[in-house]
Amino acid sequence: MSVSPPLKSGSLRRRTIVAVVVLVALLLVVLSVVVDVALGARLRGQIEERLRDRAAAAASLVGTVDDADLAERLSDQGLAVRIVGASGDSVVAGPSPEQLRDAPPGGPGGPGAGPAARSTPQPTASSDVSVVVSEVTGDDDLVTLRSTLSDGSTLTLTASAAGIGDTLAQVRWIMALSSIGVLVLAAGAVTLVVRRSLRPLDQVSRVARAIGSGERQRRLHPTRSDTEIGRVATALDDMLDDVVGAEQAARDAEQRLRAFLSDAAHELRTPVAGIRAAADTLVRADLDGPEREMLAAHVAREAARASRLVDDLLTMARVDRGLELSRAVLDLRSLVEAEVHRVPLVHPSLRVRALLPDAAVPVHADPDRLAQVLSNLVENASRATGRTGHVTLAVSTRGEDAVVSVADDGPGVAPADRERIFERLVRLDAARAASGGVGLGLPIARGIARAHGGDVRCVDTEHGARFEVTLPLQG
């Protein structure tokens, strides 16, 4: 018997609060990282954009302003400038990149921060020189823009990016302090919300203790059954209903068992009484000839009836306990043909025919047990038709199931009785309650079929009765 693992009974309130606070902390960390990355990229992008503006403005001055003068104007804005003319002459102005790295000029926004950032002198005369291609390189401290102009010259501008780090450091401190405040507020708010939300669990505990002390009529009656607490309350109410009904169910089961034993004893008493009476007569009376033979035949007939009832009771007990099946792959057509050949030997007046498909219908089953199912159904049909009717056995397939139907032209079974006839020792009035049966044939047939993974049902039909045996097809 499997043992369920112990239920983890830690504080749900504490676990919920910790889980929510940890989740909020993780979200704040993710938000801080996103803000840090996005802000850093934005500040660096602004520096690159300003360098491109200055490169474009400088290109428009080429040819109208001397390269040394142009480089000097650009370096006044805190840029490291290098102009290489088309002839190979170069002009360098402003601080070197190493000086920018060690002591960056300007504020956190880098060169040209504020309104003066765009104070590059406008040209007095236009030129046809423009920026052909630009390439941005750099690291955490520097941003370098190398632009190739249409006249073949090259303009290299380098700006400091160290101010970005200072700005991001300030933002990180602000985010850290804000996150701590948010976490404190979240912990307090979650504590209040969780305490109020879990209050119904305290009511569940009180009701459960009251039920355990004997107040079986107590119920929770949740207003909603689709929530977590509603499902727990509904499950507790259902469990209590089962517990309260268990005693009544046990009494009903005991009553059914007593009724079954009483019916079985009654069925056995009749043949046993006949055997006893006939045996007493044979022993005490001096009988010869036909009278003695008649009594001996009566004893044999009643003994066979009692033996058949005992066999049925034992089979029913095996079905309840679990049948041991000797399975083999067999063709249902051959099983039905064998039953059709057997019937005339047992019921000479019964007219039987078979409807079989051309293709084989393989199943993995116990041939002896399936033969018993068909025999019980044919015997039931024989009693229903007064042993002189017509019985049709048909084999077919339906989806992944094989189907054997047994139909007769008797009085049929009312829809209300089509399940009741599968109860033990139940015999309907009229033809099916005629002599011979004790009401175990159909329950045995269904039990054997279900042991094979199938079923036996009484289905609707226009005339007479029709029983269907379904079995899984052998793939």
Side-chain angles (χ1 to χ4, degrees), residues 341-362:
H341 293 149
R342 185 194 70 87
V343 171
L345 302 178
V346 182
H347 307 292
S349 300
L350 194 65
R351 282 160 287 183
V352 182
R353 65 168 181 161
L355 300 177
L356 305 176
D358 296 331
V361 183

Side-chain angles (χ1 to χ4, degrees), residues 56-348:
S60 65
L61 294 175
V62 174
T64 61
V65 178
D66 183 72
D67 289 349
D69 187 20
L70 178 60
E72 189 66 28
R73 293 184 183 184
L74 292 174
S75 65
D76 289 342
Q77 302 176 27
L79 302 176
V81 183
R82 180 182 179 86
I83 301 176
V84 180
S87 61
D89 298 334
S90 64
V91 176
V92 177
S96 65
E98 289 73 14
Q99 291 174 335
L100 290 177
R101 188 187 302 276
D102 296 336
R118 298 186 181 272
S119 62
T120 302
Q122 299 298 319
T124 59
S126 61
S127 68
D128 296 333
V129 180
S130 61
V131 177
V132 176
V133 63
S134 297
E135 179 184 3
V136 178
T137 59
D139 52 25
D140 293 341
D141 297 325
L142 297 176
V143 177
T144 300
L145 176 68
R146 186 175 183 276
S147 301
T148 302
L149 307 183
S150 58
D151 66 344
S153 60
T154 302
L155 174 62
T156 303
L157 302 177
T158 302
S160 174
I164 296 176
D166 297 336
T167 302
L168 293 179
Q170 295 176 7
V171 173
R172 290 176 187 136
W173 273 106
I174 294 173
M175 291 293 296
L177 295 176
S178 301
S179 299
I180 293 174
V182 170
L183 286 177
V184 172
L185 293 177
V190 170
T191 301
L192 295 177
V193 172
V194 170
R195 183 175 299 171
R196 179 177 294 272
S197 300
L198 297 182
R199 189 173 298 169
L201 289 180
D202 296 333
Q203 181 182 356
V204 172
S205 300
R206 290 194 299 270
V207 172
R209 292 191 183 95
I211 292 171
S213 62
E215 299 181 23
R216 300 296 178 85
Q217 76 281 0
R218 293 285 295 272
R219 297 293 188 276
L220 290 168
H221 300 299
T223 56
R224 293 183 58 183
S225 60
D226 58 342
T227 62
E228 293 80 2
I229 296 178
R231 285 193 292 269
V232 172
T234 301
L236 185 61
D237 285 349
D238 293 342
M239 181 189 68
L240 183 59
D241 292 338
D242 293 339
V243 170
V244 171
E247 185 178 358
Q248 183 62 38
R251 286 197 296 264
D252 293 343
E254 183 179 0
Q255 184 176 0
R256 288 194 299 270
L257 178 60
R258 290 179 178 178
F260 175 75
L261 294 175
S262 177
D263 292 340
H266 177 74
E267 294 293 338
L268 279 173
R269 183 176 59 183
T270 300
V272 169
I275 293 172
R276 181 177 179 180
D280 288 343
T281 303
L282 287 173
V283 170
R284 296 179 181 180
D286 187 10
L287 300 176
D288 293 322
E291 293 182 355
R292 187 177 185 85
E293 292 179 1
M294 182 182 65
L295 288 176
H298 178 73
V299 170
R301 184 170 58 252
E302 294 299 323
R305 180 181 174 186
S307 176
R308 184 170 62 250
L309 177 59
V310 170
D311 290 340
D312 288 344
L313 291 173
L314 290 175
T315 303
M316 200 70 247
R318 294 191 185 98
V319 168
D320 292 339
R321 188 174 62 249
L323 286 174
E324 295 181 2
L325 302 176
S326 300
R327 293 177 181 262
V329 178
L330 57 95
D331 187 356
L332 276 181
R333 297 180 305 171
S334 60
L335 199 66
V336 171
E337 288 176 345
E339 181 64 22
V340 170
H341 293 149
R342 185 194 70 87
V343 171
L345 302 178
V346 182
H347 307 292

